[in-house]
Amino acid sequence: MHNEILTIGKITIHGYGLMIGIGFLVAVLVGMYRAKKKGMNQEAILDIAIYCILAGFLGGKLLYVIVEWKRFIDSPWAVLGSSGFVVYGGIITGVLTGYIYTRIKKISFVKYFDLVMPEIAIAQGFGRIGCFLAGCCYGRPTDSWLGVVFPPEALAPSGVKLLPTQLFMSAGDFLIALILILYSRKNKIDGNIGAGYLILYGVGRFGIEFLRNDSRGSVGVLSTSQFISLFIVAIGIGLVVWNVMRTRKQESVETKKKAK
């Protein structure tokens, strides 16, 4: 919960940025290792990681501006210069960027989508630790032994015990990555790993929003992220159904060819 990790002269290493960097590095290394085992292009993984993280930051900030539109109108530089991001904006623009890249390179989007999404969860897990160090994305006040009191310099309110929702989300992200990697060893339907990420993350994010207490916009009785989660989960379920139907159709065609 201390964001300033190390200061050397005028240079200060912040925990949030450090965790983002570590998460990116670990995700790339894991992705390249898994790509090699599957006989896929390791260079493509590095390219996708670089392009998608850049697009992800832009998308995350763009959606944050939309959520904080009234504050942005009053003080645009305060919003743009803040550390605020909306993860879903990053996920959406990151996936779109990956799709465009695979189309340009003429490689299978679905296969790389499956390969990359567990690593995205890993990167998010480290990023949420960074959130904890900075004090953003904090939870509701609590008397539980789980409560954490943030220091005055943190983004979270100080002097009161708060649920460490950042760590809950981090643990959830790492768990999603583990589940998807283990499932990928048995999965025979292309696209289901990526779809699984959308479902698991969407459900988890919808639930954790009930425990958060920071300002993040709303749509009716739902937070902005809960509202988006409904669509993300629906898309994930739709993709699973489509993937299964597509695979069965391909298998049927192949069976008919062999019968001839």
Side-chain angles (χ1 to χ4, degrees):
M1 66 181 71
H2 295 282
N3 198 30
E4 295 186 1
I5 302 296
L6 178 66
T7 299
I8 303 175
K10 295 183 178 180
I11 300 174
T12 299
I13 298 175
H14 294 93
Y16 182 77
L18 179 63
M19 287 299 108
I20 292 290
I22 292 174
F24 175 76
L25 180 60
V26 173
V28 169
L29 291 175
V30 172
M32 293 181 73
Y33 171 76
R34 295 181 65 231
K36 185 178 180 180
K37 287 189 69 175
K38 292 177 179 292
M40 297 170 70
N41 190 332
Q42 291 178 284
E43 238 179 78
I45 294 298
L46 183 58
D47 288 345
I48 290 171
I50 293 172
Y51 293 138
C52 288
I53 196 169
L54 291 174
F57 273 113
L58 289 174
K61 178 60 74 173
L62 177 60
L63 190 52
Y64 180 71
V65 167
I66 293 172
V67 170
E68 297 289 335
W69 184 250
K70 291 183 179 178
R71 192 159 68 92
F72 175 74
I73 294 298
D74 293 335
S75 182
W77 293 114
V79 174
L80 291 174
S82 72
S83 60
F85 289 90
V86 177
V87 171
Y88 271 132
I91 292 173
I92 293 168
T93 53
V95 171
L96 287 175
T97 300
Y99 176 76
I100 292 170
Y101 175 87
T102 55
R103 293 288 291 179
I104 292 172
K105 293 295 182 178
K106 296 180 180 179
I107 55 179
S108 171
F109 167 74
V110 174
K111 289 185 180 297
Y112 282 89
F113 181 53
D114 277 350
L115 181 70
V116 166
M117 294 317 288
E119 284 74 57
I120 294 296
I122 291 174
Q124 287 176 317
F126 281 100
R128 289 304 183 183
I129 295 175
C131 290
F132 177 71
L133 295 175
C136 59
C137 309
Y138 52 88
R140 295 182 179 278
T142 181
D143 292 326
S144 167
W145 61 271
L146 289 170
V148 172
V149 178
F150 286 87
E153 67 271 14
L155 296 174
S158 61
V160 59
K161 290 174 70 175
L162 303 173
L163 288 172
T165 46
Q166 310 96 327
L167 298 184
F168 297 164
M169 289 187 282
S170 176
D173 288 327
F174 288 133
L175 180 61
I176 289 172
L178 178 61
I179 290 171
L180 294 179
I181 289 173
L182 292 177
Y183 176 61
S184 69
R185 296 176 181 177
K186 297 182 178 180
N187 176 58
K188 296 180 180 180
I189 301 177
D190 290 341
N192 272 3
I193 305 301
Y197 168 86
L198 297 179
I199 295 169
L200 292 174
Y201 183 82
V203 170
R205 185 58 187 270
F206 188 92
I208 201 71
E209 287 290 300
F210 288 113
L211 302 180
R212 284 178 60 170
N213 203 40
D214 55 321
S215 176
R216 56 205 183 281
S218 63
V219 179
V221 297
L222 302 177
S223 71
T224 302
S225 291
Q226 284 180 319
F227 181 73
I228 297 174
S229 291
L230 296 177
F231 293 95
I232 294 295
V233 172
I235 290 170
I237 294 172
L239 283 174
V240 170
V241 173
W242 185 74
N243 291 333
V244 171
M245 291 176 64
R246 186 195 69 232
T247 302
R248 286 179 178 176
K249 185 177 179 180
Q250 289 174 345
E251 290 175 349
S252 177
V253 171
E254 290 175 3
T255 301
K256 289 178 180 179
K257 285 182 178 179
K258 290 179 181 179
K260 291 180 179 179

